[in-house]
Amino acid sequence: MNRTELRFAWRLIPFLDSVEGFEDGLVRLRDRRWLVWHPDVMTALFRNDRVLRHPPSRTLSPLLGNRSVLWLDGAEHTAYRRALVPMLRGERYRALIEEMAGRAVAELPAGPTSLPAWTRRLTLRIIGRVVFGVDDDELLTAFSRWLDRRLGSRVRTLAHRWLTPGATRSDPRLDAMLLERVQSAEFPALAACLPREDLRDQVVSLLFAGHETTASATAWTVYWMHEAGLADRPDLVGAAITESLRLSPPATLAGNRMSADGMVLTPSIYLAHRRAATYENPHVFDPFRAPPPAGAFFPFGGGVRHCPGRDLALLEIRLIVTALLRHKHVELVHPAGTPQLRGAAMAPPPSLAMVTTCRR
């Protein structure tokens, strides 16, 4: 591993910040691997996504499994997406999200609460209901602890990746609990509609991808609205979500693309969203920005690999933030500081706490 790739792996955000000014929008990480973010390159890459391969993440594939839909290609990938996308349309779950968000807001304690931890618990419970059709706090608590042991800090994540390469990170007891719950799921629970093969990998992928990035985006939206003095403006939640997704995308990268001759391109969402040639004052939170050009805004990825739960995630973020701001005065009592990376998700640090009081 060369020095550039080492910096990319171990100090991702500082590395991305250090190359932000590269106007051509690409950096060579190693022989035949490039980090890319120029909007013209992104547009062409996503347009040709079907003919490219999508190598698995070396960090996440041991957790989610080699048969996760996130790494499948060709007809298998298409078949899974056709099964998933109709079941993940946001409006199917509006009443469920409103009920669960309202209850979580009403149950907020009087003292400081970690904002990222609160959004993570809530979004995990929501995707748990979507996938299984029932509440199962014991299962979701076990799942959350399993993730935290592996992704709870950058050092821990990379130690798992580099010190025991290729080793599985699954937990047999947790896998048995997941599969037992899946077997009892009935329509309209999403688990009841999944193909029976590779169930463990698909369910773990849905639980992980269905809450980590959504939780991060929700927490960032609350943070930026507070910083901009918009916490009393629930009418601006939609615009604030879009700008928060630009300035603090819940994922820094959009997977890997490999050409037939072995060239690997890794799109950087973080850098594309902060490109000065595209966005005026790119580090400023401005919910009134004009729509960006093609290839410049892709918080949920792009091409054939864009997140199948994008519609659900956007609705979830909007309903949670709206419920919180309509019913509570929110004060943030610790600065955001350095973002926390949890696999693909970039969240505010756990120390970012909120104190809420009821609105009269």
Side-chain angles (χ1 to χ4, degrees):
M1 178 182 291
N2 61 44
R3 185 170 178 268
T4 300
E5 194 174 16
L6 186 64
R7 290 174 59 211
F8 176 74
W10 284 92
R11 292 180 53 78
L12 178 61
I13 301 301
F15 173 78
L16 296 178
D17 289 339
S18 74
V19 301
E20 184 180 294
F22 288 24
E23 294 186 5
D24 53 359
L26 57 88
V27 169
R28 183 175 178 269
L29 297 177
R30 67 167 186 263
D31 185 38
R32 303 184 68 74
R33 187 186 179 190
W34 294 80
L35 183 71
V36 295
W37 66 94
H38 192 285
D40 293 343
V41 176
M42 295 298 94
T43 300
L45 193 64
F46 294 149
R47 184 185 300 127
N48 293 282
D49 216 5
R50 292 187 184 280
V51 300
L52 300 171
R53 291 179 54 208
H54 302 84
S57 160
R58 285 181 291 178
T59 297
L60 292 180
S61 58
L63 295 176
L64 308 185
N66 292 327
R67 295 292 299 168
S68 166
V69 67
L70 299 178
W71 331 127
L72 297 180
D73 270 315
E76 283 187 307
H77 177 258
T78 300
Y80 267 109
R81 286 188 68 96
R82 284 176 178 166
L84 287 176
V85 170
M87 296 296 298
L88 291 174
R89 293 195 177 110
E91 287 300 322
R92 293 176 62 100
Y93 306 104
R94 174 182 288 272
L96 169 66
I97 298 168
E98 288 178 335
E99 185 272 327
M100 297 187 76
R103 190 193 324 156
V105 169
E107 293 174 352
L108 277 167
T113 300
S114 169
L115 175 59
W118 181 76
T119 60
R120 197 172 297 123
R121 285 193 301 271
L122 176 53
T123 56
L124 180 57
R125 292 195 72 218
I126 291 172
I127 193 63
R129 281 284 296 276
V130 169
V131 172
F132 301 123
V134 296
D135 290 319
D136 191 331
D137 289 340
E138 180 184 5
L139 173 59
L140 296 182
T141 298
F143 180 82
S144 182
R145 288 174 177 167
W146 172 72
L147 274 183
D148 283 342
R149 287 197 299 270
R150 289 150 178 83
L151 301 179
S153 74
R154 190 66 175 166
V155 171
R156 195 181 308 162
T157 298
L158 293 174
H160 277 297
R161 171 174 168 174
W162 296 110
L163 298 182
T164 54
T168 181
R169 311 286 190 270
S170 63
D171 181 321
R173 178 177 175 272
L174 174 61
D175 288 354
M177 293 172 66
L178 287 168
L179 291 175
E180 181 180 2
R181 174 55 67 194
V182 168
Q183 298 299 338
S184 64
E186 298 180 357
F187 185 83
L190 182 55
C193 306
L194 292 174
R196 295 295 94 181
E197 64 272 15
D198 310 317
L199 262 179
R200 181 269 174 199
D201 290 1
Q202 305 314 333
V203 170
V204 171
S205 298
L206 283 167
L207 292 177
F208 172 77
H211 92 282
E212 279 281 353
T213 52
T214 306
S216 297
T218 303
W220 281 121
T221 300
V222 173
Y223 167 77
W224 284 116
M225 291 189 73
H226 179 272
E227 292 299 288
L230 301 177
D232 292 323
R233 295 290 305 275
D235 57 306
L236 293 179
V237 166
I241 290 170
T242 300
E243 179 67 351
S244 178
L245 289 171
R246 182 196 68 81
L247 190 55
S248 300
T252 55
L253 308 172
N256 299 313
R257 269 74 175 173
M258 179 184 287
S259 63
D261 62 358
M263 181 70 72
V264 177
L265 301 178
T266 302
S268 174
I269 303 172
Y270 182 93
L271 289 172
H273 289 189
R274 292 169 174 245
R275 186 170 179 265
T278 303
Y279 296 99
E280 185 178 1
N281 299 320
H283 297 145
V284 174
F285 179 81
D286 179 7
F288 304 103
R289 289 184 185 274
F297 182 74
F298 47 100
F300 296 98
V304 299
R305 316 302 291 201
H306 75 267
C307 176
R310 175 177 57 188
D311 181 54
L312 174 60
L314 287 170
L315 180 66
E316 204 170 325
I317 299 164
R318 179 159 55 87
L319 293 179
I320 294 171
V321 175
T322 299
L324 179 64
L325 299 186
R326 279 185 176 164
H327 297 288
K328 300 286 186 178
H329 289 287
V330 177
E331 285 297 328
L332 301 183
V333 296
H334 294 293
T338 304
Q340 180 192 31
L341 288 177
R342 291 171 56 88
M346 182 181 76
S351 60
L352 180 64
M354 62 177 176
V355 175
T356 62
T357 54
C358 291
R359 292 186 180 275
R360 298 296 181 184

